[in-house]
Amino acid sequence: MKTLVVTSPVPVSPTQSQATTRDAKRAATRATSEPRLLQWFLIALAVGTMGLILVVPLFVVFSEAFSKGLELYKASIVNAEAMSAIKLTLLVAFVAVPINTVFGVAAAWAITRFQFKGKGALITLIDLPFAVSPVISGLIFVLMFGRRGIFGPFLQAHDWKIIFALPGIILATLFVTFPFVARQLIAFMESQGAEEEEAAVTLGANGFQTFWRITLPNIKWALLTGIILCNARAMGEFGAVSVVSGHVRGQTNTIPLQVEILYNEYQYTASFAVASLLTFLGLITLGIKTALEWKTARQLKEGQT
Amino acid sequence: MQISVRGVSKNFGAFRALDNVSLDIPQGQLVALLGPSGSGKTTLLRIIAGLEAPDEGRIFYGDQDVTNCSTRDRGIGFVFQHYALFGHMTIFDNIAFGLRVRKWKNEQIRPRVLELLRLIQLEGMEKRFPSQLSGGQRQRVALARALAAQPQVMLLDEPFGALDAKVRADLRRWIRSLHDEIHMTSVFVTHDQEEAFEVADFVVVMNRGKIEQMGTPDEVFARPASAFVTDFLGRVNVFHGRVQNGKAQIGELEVSVEAEHGSVEGDTFTAYIRPHEVEIDREPHGPESMQAAVSRVNRTGSTVKVALFAQDGQLPIDVELPHEREATLNLRAGDIVWVYPRQVRVFAAPTASVESSS
Amino acid sequence: MKRSHRVLPGFGLSLGITLLYLSILVLIPLSLLFWNAGGGGWEHFKSAAFSPRALASYKITFGASFVAATINLFAGMLIAWVLVRYRFPGRSFMDALVDLPFALPTAVGGIALTTAYAPNGFIGRQFAPDGIIGRHFGPEGLKLAYTPIGIVIALTFISLPFVVRTVQPVLGGLDAQLEEAASSLGANRFQTFRRVIFPYIWPALLTGWTLGFARALGEYGSVVFIAGNQPLKTEIVPLLIITRLEEYDYPGATALAVVMLTASFSLLLAINTLSRWTNRRASA
């Protein structure tokens, strides 16, 4: 029992006074918590489950990427094909993220600051990409702009290429990533309310001044969270992009597609080396997101007092 | 500037928040919109401010119809219930906001803000953020921010609602003296009748989207125009009955019904007796008095509160007596005494439901 | 909208941008998809959407998604409980890590899981005929990757966060007084959980399950590597759609997509209903 006391998890429970004996404390916490041994068992079980499901892939990525030494790792990334994939991915994110940021701000403003008919349907529509398979997200653009698609003959006549080219990749990425900024902002602005903006208007501010001086400073952390999540997905999207890209090496391969090609060619180390870039991106995204969520939670709390 | 409200109605879905309301707010007066929650007082204030659009009716500032004029062009100062201070700005920037968006020059802004800080007694606090202030301080900043651009009209939504009792009382006095200094047409919303009576020149009592009564605090308290107003203004004993022989029967008590309240023979009525308008004696005083048993005597306040039961415990009555008077009676629980009201207000029922007040 | 004016500016502009963008990007392409599917006639649609190979792929996709979502019902409940109720070193790190499947590109998760669970991988090896676990499964051992089990593993990975993230806030918002009341009325800890806590978080659990199931149905990246992709055995619907596309069989791909979209829309509807229920329950 003694060892348990030192390292024991502190149950989230009220009544604890130093004067009471340990037994009394235990009796009091029994109403809202479990015996310590059971707590430890559950914690161990949860950590084990997460380890098996989540940590294993992380561990594999890095151990495989560096299994043949740092030289090969560097060579796997610094080569023409990989570099062109990195450039393409950056370009796609550079176009898609700003567009979806503008959309997200507009949608959140309309939805959280006004009452109108069909608002519920609009919110559902914004959630749609989360329910639609990425493969289908790519497919709809192939059906429109592909060689045998609706606009296929028209595009071919003008020698324009959308599918198996950059525009198609950007379209598919826009589709799968448009909800991120909007959702983040809708949730935050809804809980924050419109009082500060109303106050600005009573003080004589016009629309632009209200948005620039009041709304934007207030939503900046939530907006940033949305942007980095949108960016992570834009750079990591595989299914939708795979359908529209055509996998032309050095031209229409994004980083995730490059990972796939290398893996299917049994170049495991190179594949995992490139994959490790995306893994770093994912981990950094998680870190920033956690920090930003902490900030927004504090901001909402301050707003309430 | 005088504010005129002409036939304003407002619905929220099926809920009728305002029902054909008309009202004149005289130049330079401090007016309270008083009523229970859901009475439409905040909606009326927000319509006057232009934060809501009325479904019907017009709003005039002086002679000017401002119904279609946006909030920012009305030249008002609005103080929000939860202050709505800009959390990412310092106190200085909050107060300066209205001046900056109106393109004042920096060298004009600074003295104006410092002057306001002196006015609200927060000199030296200009670099703080709203989250570092107490509730009362935030309220004063919200007020200074609204005053900064010298609005012609001040509108305040439950200005003392979120404060604790001590700060409330201080701020009430302060706002009253501030108004006496600048004499701006001001309207504030409150559900607290004591607050309305203490601060306002005029009180507008609202219920269910309509105005029940308006007048000076003295008028409204002395001559409540309806059962609702009587009931809403402070503790009161309520009795129900039927009019017989032109008289309302309350227990053994007979009260003649005044014609102005429109009670007809056989109608049900509701009678109100304020606790401080009842006398207690050991001797009967004719048909104007009835017998009652003392159940509890509480001597802890500025008056003595006596709880009694008349009619064999059927009819509870609360009475407030001055300490000196009670000392001569020396009441004890169980004593049988005579009570006689100095004033009874009788209204034709039904009075509908009213938020309990006593 | 017959308001004479609105207080805050920008309604027309912001709603206009939103609707225009969604029309171009979502509404027009999706309606064209359904229009396309109707174009070839019912017989054609039926033969493409309900061929034996398609039926087999529905079975494996829906079956594996169901199993994965259900595994996560328990795993997610456990993780949410531990994260909300207990304080222990590394808790916030663990909390942040829950979102890894959202942040890690699916292709990366796919190749990593395949490498770990393949017969020569460091977990798959334990399930080989001579491995410590595999030897109990007869001469073949237990094959994980390239079987339906592999698909379930990948889908469990990508759908883990949903139950955790829906249950966490509800559990955190549970008033401690409810449990104290139950205890004061004589309930033991298990009874309190079963009769007070569980009914309270049940709608959130169900919402999380549905979200995870919906996500798993459409998943492609993490599954293709570990599935083995044998037609009729380990071929998921999204892969079959891609195969049809590569054969330039647009009507075939469209038919499959329509079936999957119908399932997705039904689930989306269910999720909306469920989350309204959750919110009502949480605010009651």
Side-chain angles (χ1 to χ4, degrees), chain C residues 128-212:
Chain C
D130 53 346
I132 35 173
I133 302 170
R135 70 167 68 115
H136 303 293
F137 287 87
E140 298 286 306
L142 187 64
K143 231 179 141 203
L144 300 178
Y146 317 124
T147 69
I149 297 177
I151 299 178
V152 169
I153 291 172
L155 294 181
T156 306
F157 169 75
I158 56 110
S159 61
L160 176 77
F162 291 98
V163 170
V164 183
R165 290 305 185 222
T166 48
V167 171
Q168 230 178 343
V170 179
L171 199 56
L174 180 64
D175 188 353
Q177 288 189 359
L178 283 182
E179 289 169 61
E180 291 175 350
S183 171
S184 74
L185 294 167
N188 66 28
R189 196 61 195 143
F190 178 71
Q191 289 168 320
T192 303
F193 180 81
R194 198 168 65 91
R195 292 173 181 272
V196 178
I197 302 174
F198 186 73
Y200 184 82
I201 59 174
W202 166 240
L205 271 174
L206 206 57
T207 308
W209 185 92
T210 317
L211 282 167

Side-chain angles (χ1 to χ4, degrees), chain A residues 130-133, chain C residues 58-73 102 152 155-156 158-163 166 205-220 223 238 259-260 262-268 270-271 274:
Chain A
F130 289 137
V132 171
S133 171
Chain C
Y58 297 143
K59 206 168 131 191
I60 186 73
T61 303
F62 282 86
S65 299
F66 183 90
V67 175
T70 308
I71 291 174
N72 280 331
L73 193 66
F102 289 155
V152 169
L155 294 181
T156 306
I158 56 110
S159 61
L160 176 77
F162 291 98
V163 170
T166 48
L205 271 174
L206 206 57
T207 308
W209 185 92
T210 317
L211 282 167
F213 181 68
R215 171 79 162 84
L217 281 187
E219 177 57 18
Y220 171 73
V223 181
V259 172
M260 292 310 280
T262 310
S264 299
F265 289 157
S266 318
L267 285 169
L268 204 60
I271 291 163
L274 277 170

Side-chain angles (χ1 to χ4, degrees), chain A residues 136, chain C residues 48-49 54 57-58 237 240-241 244 251-261:
Chain A
I136 295 176
Chain C
S57 73
Y58 297 143
V237 188
L240 188 55
I241 293 177
R244 294 284 181 247
T254 310
L256 293 164
V258 164
V259 172
M260 292 310 280
L261 275 179

Side-chain angles (χ1 to χ4, degrees), chain A residues 8-12 14 30-35 38-40 42-43 45-47 49-50 52-61 64 99-100 102-103 105-110 113-117 122 124-128 130-136 139-144 146-151 164 171 174-175 178 194 197-198 201 206-208 210 232-233 235-239 242-243 247 256 259-260 263-264 271-272 275 278-279 281-283 285-286 289-290 293, chain C residues 1 3 6-11 13-15 17-19 21-22 24-30 32-33 35-36 71-72 75 78-79 81-89 92-117 122-123 146 153 156-157 160 165 176 179-180 183 189 192 214-215 217-222 224-225 238-239 241-242 245-251 253-254 256-258 260-261 264-265 268 272:
Chain A
S8 72
V10 183
V12 195
R30 201 161 294 151
T32 51
S33 200
E34 290 73 43
L38 181 59
Q39 288 190 17
W40 274 113
L42 291 175
I43 291 170
L45 205 60
V47 170
T49 309
M50 280 191 54
L52 201 64
I53 301 177
L54 299 180
V55 181
V56 162
L58 265 190
F59 169 76
V60 169
V61 169
E64 291 287 324
I99 292 178
N100 280 338
V102 172
F103 160 77
V105 171
W109 182 262
R113 295 297 180 251
F114 303 98
Q115 294 302 324
F116 54 92
K117 270 186 195 146
L122 186 60
T124 307
L125 196 62
I126 290 174
D127 279 344
L128 198 66
F130 289 137
V132 171
S133 171
V135 168
I136 295 176
L139 170 74
I140 57 175
F141 295 109
V142 174
L143 291 180
M144 278 177 69
R147 204 142 62 94
R148 298 191 193 167
I150 295 163
F151 302 112
F164 302 158
L171 272 178
L174 282 175
F175 183 93
F178 79 73
E197 280 127 7
E198 287 185 352
V201 172
N206 64 27
F208 179 76
T210 306
R233 184 70 194 270
M235 291 189 170
E237 177 52 28
F238 177 68
S242 171
V243 174
H247 306 266
V259 169
E260 182 198 22
Y263 186 84
N264 286 342
S271 173
F272 276 106
L278 292 172
T279 311
L281 172 74
L283 290 176
T285 302
L286 274 191
K289 174 176 163 275
T290 308
E293 272 171 353
Chain C
M1 297 295 93
R3 294 260 190 94
R6 286 167 190 282
V7 178
L8 294 177
F11 176 66
L13 181 69
S14 60
L15 192 65
I17 291 177
T18 307
L19 291 180
Y21 188 71
L22 287 179
I24 294 174
L25 199 62
V26 186
L27 287 179
I28 294 173
L30 270 183
L32 283 176
L33 175 85
W35 183 68
N36 243 11
I71 291 174
N72 280 331
L78 172 71
I79 292 167
W81 179 269
V82 166
L83 285 177
V84 171
R85 288 308 177 99
Y86 306 145
R87 293 287 170 271
F88 54 95
S92 3
F93 176 74
M94 187 167 151
D95 196 0
L97 198 66
V98 168
D99 283 332
L100 183 72
F102 289 155
L104 194 69
T106 52
V108 177
I111 60 169
L113 287 169
T114 311
T115 304
Y117 288 92
F122 78 96
I123 293 179
Y146 317 124
I153 291 172
T156 306
F157 169 75
L160 176 77
R165 290 305 185 222
E179 289 169 61
E180 291 175 350
S183 171
R189 196 61 195 143
T192 303
R215 171 79 162 84
L217 281 187
E219 177 57 18
Y220 171 73
S222 61
V224 278
F225 299 100
L239 181 69
I241 293 177
I242 289 194
L245 266 185
E246 281 169 354
E247 295 162 353
Y248 287 102
D249 178 8
Y250 285 10
T254 310
L256 293 164
V258 164
M260 292 310 280
L261 275 179
S264 299
F265 289 157
L268 204 60
N272 279 350

Side-chain angles (χ1 to χ4, degrees), chain A residues 12-50:
Chain A
V12 195
S13 85
T15 51
Q16 278 186 341
S17 122
Q18 297 210 321
T20 54
T21 67
R22 200 189 303 154
D23 285 344
K25 277 188 208 168
R26 204 169 293 156
T29 55
R30 201 161 294 151
T32 51
S33 200
E34 290 73 43
R36 280 178 177 155
L37 216 58
L38 181 59
Q39 288 190 17
W40 274 113
F41 173 72
L42 291 175
I43 291 170
L45 205 60
V47 170
T49 309
M50 280 191 54

